[in-house]
Amino acid sequence: MTGTSFVTGANGHLGNNLVRALLARGERVRASVRNPQNRVPFDGLECDLVQADLMDRDSLLRASEDVQTLYQVAAVVRHWSPDPEAEIIRPNVEGTRNVVEAAAEQGVERIVFVSSEITLEGHVSPVDESSWRANFHGNPYARAKTESEQLAWQLAGEHDLNMVSVLPGTIVGPHCYRLTPTMRYLKQALNGEVFLDVNLHFNFVDVRDLAAGMIAAAQKGRRGERYILATERSISNRRLIELAQERNPKVKMPPRAPKHLLLAVGTLMELASRFTGKEPMMVRSQVKIFYGNDRRMDLSKARDELGYTSRDPETALREAFEYLKTRGP
C-alpha cells in the first residue's frame, strides 16, 4: 500500500511504535494525538502530526481525509474508574463509532482495528479467534473492548468497509513515553516494589512484534477476519519476578497470596482509590479474570495468513526490563 496511513493514539505505547515501524518502511504517516503540543514522542520522526479526539467526530473527519489505511489504536486503557461508564466504556464505544463512521465518510480503503485478547473467552486453552467473552467479571475494560470491537464489525457491515481486527496480548517494550499500567508494574517489579505474588498470568508481547503484525494485517489480512497477535504461552507473576531478579539481584521473591486474600486486597485498593483518585494497583475483576489462568494462544491463523512472528514472552520481558533500566525515572 502506497497511500497515507493514519494512526490514532500515536503518542501512546503501541501507536508510537507503529508510527516508527511505518516510517521505517518509507510510508506516509499521519499521526493523531489529542495534544499536538507534546512533541517529545515524535522527535526525529517525519510524520504529519494532527490533532484529533475520538469523541470529536469533526476532528476525525479532518484527520481521515485522503487516508488509505486507518490503524485505529486510540483507546482508554484502564481497568478501574470511579465512574467506569462515563470514563472507560462510553469513550471507547462512542469513540469507535465516531472513528469508523468518519473513515466510512472519507472513503478509507482499509481499517485495522485494535481490539484485545481480553475479548476472547478464556476457559478453553489454547484460545483462538472464534470466541467472544461473555462474562466480564465487572471489568469495565474487558466490556469496553468487547463492545467496541463488536460495534466496529457492525458498522463495517453497514458501510461495506474493508476491515480486519487484531487482538494483542499484554504489551511491553520500548518507546513508552508515559508508562502504561503494564509497564509501570514491570518497573515496580524491577525496583523490588512488588510485595505479593498475585499468581496472575499474562501473554506478554513485544510492542515491535505487534506493530509488525498490524502492518502485515493491513497488507495480507482477509477482510472480515480477526487475528490474535500475542505469544503462545503465558507468563506467571512469579516468573516475571524471577526475570526482574536477573536484572536486579536485590529483588526479593514475594510470598504467594491465595485468591480470597487478593480479592479482599483488591476491594480495599478500590475503596482507597475513591479517596485518592489514583488507579489501584490491582482490582477484583483482574483477579477473577487472570488468577491462575495459564492459558495458551493459538497463533496459527496469524502465522499462516500474515506471516506473524514474535519474541518469546521471556525475551520480551527481558528486553522490556532493559529498556526500563535505560529509560530512567
Side-chain angles (χ1 to χ4, degrees):
M1 294 185 179
T2 58
T4 297
S5 292
F6 174 29
V7 179
T8 64
N11 58 340
H13 192 192
L14 175 55
N16 196 256
N17 278 273
L18 178 59
V19 167
R20 293 170 185 272
L22 290 166
L23 290 174
R25 292 169 47 84
E27 296 198 25
R28 296 195 299 273
V29 179
R30 184 173 300 156
S32 78
V33 296
R34 286 188 295 177
N35 177 17
Q37 302 305 313
N38 179 17
R39 302 188 65 89
V40 173
F42 304 97
D43 284 349
L45 301 183
E46 296 295 327
C47 60
D48 177 18
L49 188 63
V50 299
Q51 191 279 333
D53 188 321
L54 291 185
M55 301 304 287
D56 180 353
R57 191 170 182 276
D58 289 339
S59 72
L60 293 168
L61 279 169
R62 292 191 295 270
S64 302
E65 188 176 1
D66 298 324
V67 164
Q68 183 173 32
T69 305
L70 163 66
Y71 293 91
Q72 167 44 23
V73 181
V76 178
V77 184
R78 297 174 62 187
H79 291 267
W80 179 89
S81 163
D83 188 350
E85 190 72 37
E87 297 181 359
I88 299 175
I89 296 167
R90 195 180 308 143
N92 278 305
V93 175
E94 292 184 8
T96 292
R97 180 180 298 279
N98 289 336
V99 73
V100 173
E101 289 186 343
E105 188 167 333
Q106 293 289 21
V108 172
E109 295 179 20
R110 181 73 146 164
I111 298 175
V112 178
F113 185 87
V114 179
S115 183
S116 170
E117 60 88 14
I118 205 171
T119 66
L120 300 169
E121 190 57 72
H123 298 302
V124 179
S125 187
V127 179
D128 64 21
E129 293 91 345
S130 63
S131 67
W132 289 93
R133 179 173 293 280
N135 188 345
F136 306 126
H137 298 283
N139 187 292
Y141 179 69
R143 177 185 158 194
K145 293 302 288 186
T146 302
E147 292 183 1
S148 294
E149 188 189 353
Q150 290 174 337
L151 175 61
W153 284 120
Q154 175 189 326
L155 294 171
E158 291 175 1
H159 296 284
D160 193 27
L161 298 174
N162 184 350
M163 190 179 92
V164 297
S165 70
V166 295
L167 287 63
T170 304
I171 304 171
V172 298
H175 303 299
C176 188
Y177 291 92
R178 181 178 179 181
L179 290 183
T180 63
T182 298
M183 291 294 285
R184 188 163 59 245
Y185 183 79
L186 262 59
K187 188 170 183 63
Q188 290 168 336
L190 190 61
N191 292 339
E193 297 169 356
V194 174
F195 305 109
L196 284 176
D197 173 8
V198 294
N199 194 27
L200 305 188
H201 294 247
F202 297 97
N203 294 78
F204 293 101
V205 61
D206 188 284
V207 67
R208 294 163 293 186
D209 298 332
L210 175 53
M214 291 173 63
I215 294 170
Q219 295 178 317
K220 306 175 187 177
R222 285 187 293 133
R223 176 177 178 156
E225 295 296 327
R226 311 170 81 199
Y227 296 94
I228 298 174
L229 301 183
T231 52
E232 282 185 327
R233 62 189 180 94
S234 66
I235 292 288
S236 68
N237 184 77
R238 178 171 290 270
R239 184 55 183 152
L240 185 152
I241 299 295
E242 290 173 349
L243 295 172
Q245 288 176 323
E246 293 179 3
R247 293 292 183 270
N248 180 5
K250 295 181 179 180
V251 171
K252 305 297 183 183
M253 180 60 68
R256 173 164 292 181
K259 186 175 183 179
H260 70 270
L261 176 59
L262 291 176
L263 289 170
V265 171
T267 299
L268 293 174
M269 286 185 171
E270 290 179 45
L271 289 172
S273 292
R274 290 191 173 275
F275 292 96
T276 65
K278 296 181 179 179
E279 188 164 358
M281 289 179 60
M282 182 180 65
V283 296
R284 289 169 296 176
S285 59
Q286 288 175 307
V287 178
K288 292 175 182 177
I289 292 174
F290 296 110
Y291 186 88
N293 190 5
D294 184 12
R295 66 180 186 172
R296 291 180 173 268
M297 297 289 174
D298 181 354
L299 305 181
S300 59
K301 184 176 178 181
R303 284 178 174 155
D304 293 346
E305 298 186 17
L306 308 181
Y308 171 71
T309 60
S310 65
R311 295 163 177 79
D312 69 83
E314 294 195 1
T315 298
L317 284 171
R318 287 188 176 100
E319 293 183 5
F321 282 132
E322 191 60 35
Y323 166 74
L324 289 168
K325 284 187 67 174
T326 60
R327 178 183 182 274

